[in-house]
Amino acid sequence: MATLRSVSDHPNDAVPSASPPASQTDYMADDQYREAVVDLLGALAYGELTAFERLADDATFAPTIADKAALARMAVAEYHHFELLRDRLKELGAAPELAMEPFTEALHSFHERTAPGDWLEGLVKAYVGDGIAEDFYREVSAYVDTSTRALVLQVLEDTGHSQFAVDRVLAAITEDPRLAGRLALWGRRLVGEALSQAQRVAAERDALSTLLVGGVDRPGADLAEVGRMFARLTENHTRRMSALGLTS
Amino acid sequence: MATLRSVSDHPNDAVPSASPPASQTDYMADDQYREAVVDLLGALAYGELTAFERLADDATFAPTIADKAALARMAVAEYHHFELLRDRLKELGAAPELAMEPFTEALHSFHERTAPGDWLEGLVKAYVGDGIAEDFYREVSAYVDTSTRALVLQVLEDTGHSQFAVDRVLAAITEDPRLAGRLALWGRRLVGEALSQAQRVAAERDALSTLLVGGVDRPGADLAEVGRMFARLTENHTRRMSALGLTS
């Protein structure tokens, strides 16, 4: 994996979030950094576009018109996030479609392997799957310039689907406790598939990986920090599963 | 059918579009008229919500990221139309979900019976199916107060999918002329299913039917005008099929 190789090439002991690049303009002159940011925004943009599709698709499963309209509203919010990312890619002089292209296969594979079988599986996927992806992007955002970070944090803002999913899943489990076993298994499968696709992307996209672990003149995370990051991701995942009334 | 019964109850020879109700306020005092407008807006609102779902679903079939993003944009436009209709229903003191409820089954049946098998069938459905529905609503809008009519015409505005569908379908047929036969058959099936569901709605919703054919104190279309309306709908359908390079 590019991640580990780069760590040993450029060891760095600085606390990473304390020393992110100062400004977008300075850092965009560095071709490798610019490429990494285009990768990051491209991955996020395609993620938002597929989140739009998936929420819209979940809407077709919705048991009531009100739930359908609520999911459609969240899907629309994801689309507007996609637009922000697409516009920023254009500002950076990148072709949005080319920037998204490297991530289509991994995201497509993930969604194909985790197509929800019903309304509740769709909700758990939206909450648990998107939750882990959002945490990861939030961690990465500590290593980019302030302007890129502001955009990333903006598009990661919860569009309301977390509380919606928690409410609906908790209510369903309260009514039929036997659901908990199946949905807990589903949650574990989602994480497994997400990690396997993330690993694939990390191995293929060197520029993106060096965002996290640093470049020649840029600080990144050391191995211990990468370890702590994974611990945080796991903790948050466990917390989300508990919020749904599920064991992780 | 309620339509024909009402025509014979309240014959009216006025040219209908020349004498629509004067203002929303006057006419909303008439319970039957208000009920009819709530039906009309409810049917349209649920139509927009399902159009959103369907375009988002078509986006998953899109052969390129650019096409996917274009369809997502159109789906979002339909959702915003849904919001306008929902808000007007609330202004009229109607519960949007109750207003939409009577039309869910007919729309669901229509979409279930006409689930596109591929990208091109989805495009033909969006253009030909929505086209005939839009023409019908535009005809009905001649019989409502100016404020309701303005809203109906606003939400019927083309979100850009017509030209998009024509371009893509024509290009596909030029490349593989054998597609024309299958897609023409598909177009005929869409119209057949649309008419059958429309008939079902007309039979069940007396208030909505009397919008077209008039009420005790309100002019509507006479039988000859209803005939001319169907002629116009058919002509427009033929024109749309030709635009796609298909025989109707």
Side-chain angles (χ1 to χ4, degrees):
Chain A
M1 253 176 62
T3 309
L4 297 180
R5 193 185 62 234
S6 307
V7 165
S8 55
D9 285 354
H10 313 290
N12 188 300
D13 291 315
V15 176
S17 53
S19 53
S23 84
Q24 197 183 29
T25 328
D26 301 347
Y27 280 84
M28 289 304 165
D30 172 351
D31 276 352
Q32 197 196 28
Y33 179 72
R34 186 186 160 282
E35 197 188 321
V37 167
V38 167
D39 257 18
L40 175 64
L41 302 181
L44 265 169
Y46 198 70
E48 293 288 357
L49 197 54
T50 51
F52 161 82
E53 286 181 344
R54 213 201 42 229
L55 286 168
D57 199 40
D58 289 348
T60 63
F61 282 127
T64 68
I65 303 180
D67 282 348
K68 194 187 275 294
L71 276 173
R73 187 182 54 71
M74 296 172 210
V76 168
E78 305 287 0
Y79 176 79
H80 290 311
H81 288 164
F82 160 76
E83 285 184 319
L84 291 173
L85 292 158
R86 185 198 56 198
D87 293 348
R88 176 66 63 90
L89 282 165
K90 284 185 192 160
E91 276 170 39
L92 294 177
E97 284 128 53
L98 290 181
M100 289 187 268
E101 182 58 43
F103 307 101
T104 56
E105 216 174 293
L107 273 156
H108 183 75
S109 295
F110 175 70
H111 289 302
E112 204 171 45
R113 285 158 178 275
T114 58
D118 61 20
W119 167 243
L120 290 173
E121 288 190 0
L123 290 177
V124 171
K125 180 171 169 179
Y127 182 56
V128 168
D130 291 5
I132 209 161
E134 282 162 17
D135 278 351
F136 175 73
Y137 285 119
R138 201 167 277 119
E139 293 279 351
V140 173
S141 77
Y143 301 95
V144 296
D145 60 275
T146 48
S147 160
T148 303
R149 187 183 317 135
L151 175 63
V152 170
L153 295 178
Q154 184 184 359
V155 302
L156 292 181
E157 256 175 32
D158 189 353
T159 57
H161 75 234
S162 293
Q163 198 52 49
F164 183 84
V166 170
D167 291 350
R168 299 302 187 280
V169 174
L170 273 182
I173 294 178
T174 306
E175 202 176 304
D176 179 3
R178 288 166 309 170
L179 286 169
R182 170 166 69 88
L183 293 177
L185 208 64
W186 172 245
R188 284 194 282 277
R189 186 160 140 221
L190 289 169
V191 176
E193 293 290 350
L195 285 180
S196 122
Q197 298 304 328
Q199 229 163 3
R200 175 173 161 186
V201 168
E204 283 170 9
R205 305 302 293 177
D206 272 16
L208 189 56
S209 304
T210 57
L211 253 197
L212 196 59
V213 294
V216 179
D217 302 317
R218 212 158 23 77
D222 61 12
L223 208 52
E225 178 52 30
V226 170
R228 284 192 293 275
M229 186 189 93
F230 273 102
R232 285 192 296 271
L233 293 176
T234 312
E235 269 167 42
N236 283 340
H237 170 64
T238 307
R239 190 184 47 68
R240 275 188 295 268
M241 290 292 277
S242 302
L244 293 176
L246 301 175
T247 50
S248 55
Chain B
M1 255 176 59
T3 309
L4 296 179
R5 194 184 63 234
S6 305
V7 165
S8 55
D9 284 355
H10 312 289
N12 188 301
D13 291 318
V15 175
S17 53
S19 53
S23 84
Q24 196 185 26
T25 328
D26 300 348
Y27 280 83
M28 289 303 164
D30 173 350
D31 276 351
Q32 198 196 28
Y33 178 72
R34 186 185 160 281
E35 198 188 322
V37 168
V38 167
D39 258 16
L40 175 65
L41 301 182
L44 264 169
Y46 198 70
E48 293 288 357
L49 197 54
T50 52
F52 161 82
E53 286 182 344
R54 213 200 43 229
L55 286 169
D57 199 38
D58 288 349
T60 63
F61 283 125
T64 68
I65 303 181
D67 282 350
K68 194 186 273 295
L71 276 172
R73 188 183 54 71
M74 295 172 208
V76 168
E78 305 287 0
Y79 176 78
H80 291 312
H81 288 162
F82 160 75
E83 285 184 319
L84 291 173
L85 292 157
R86 184 197 57 196
D87 293 348
R88 177 67 62 91
L89 282 165
K90 284 185 191 163
E91 275 169 40
L92 294 176
E97 282 127 55
L98 290 179
M100 289 187 266
E101 182 57 43
F103 308 101
T104 56
E105 216 175 293
L107 273 157
H108 182 75
S109 295
F110 174 70
H111 288 302
E112 204 170 46
R113 285 157 178 277
T114 59
D118 61 19
W119 167 242
L120 291 173
E121 288 190 1
L123 290 178
V124 171
K125 180 171 168 179
Y127 182 57
V128 168
D130 291 6
I132 210 162
E134 283 162 17
D135 277 352
F136 175 73
Y137 285 120
R138 201 168 276 120
E139 293 279 351
V140 172
S141 77
Y143 301 94
V144 295
D145 59 275
T146 49
S147 160
T148 303
R149 186 183 317 132
L151 175 62
V152 169
L153 295 179
Q154 184 184 355
V155 302
L156 293 182
E157 257 175 30
D158 189 352
T159 57
H161 75 235
S162 295
Q163 199 51 49
F164 182 84
V166 169
D167 291 349
R168 298 302 186 280
V169 174
L170 274 181
I173 293 177
T174 306
E175 200 174 307
D176 179 4
R178 288 166 309 170
L179 286 170
R182 171 166 70 89
L183 293 176
L185 208 65
W186 173 244
R188 285 194 281 278
R189 185 157 142 224
L190 288 169
V191 176
E193 292 289 349
L195 286 180
S196 123
Q197 297 303 329
Q199 228 164 2
R200 175 173 161 185
V201 168
E204 285 170 8
R205 307 301 296 177
D206 273 16
L208 189 56
S209 304
T210 57
L211 253 197
L212 195 59
V213 296
V216 180
D217 302 317
R218 213 160 22 78
D222 62 12
L223 207 51
E225 177 53 27
V226 170
R228 283 192 294 275
M229 185 187 93
F230 273 101
R232 284 192 296 271
L233 292 177
T234 311
E235 268 166 43
N236 282 340
H237 169 65
T238 306
R239 189 183 47 69
R240 273 188 296 266
M241 291 291 278
S242 302
L244 293 176
L246 302 174
T247 50
S248 55

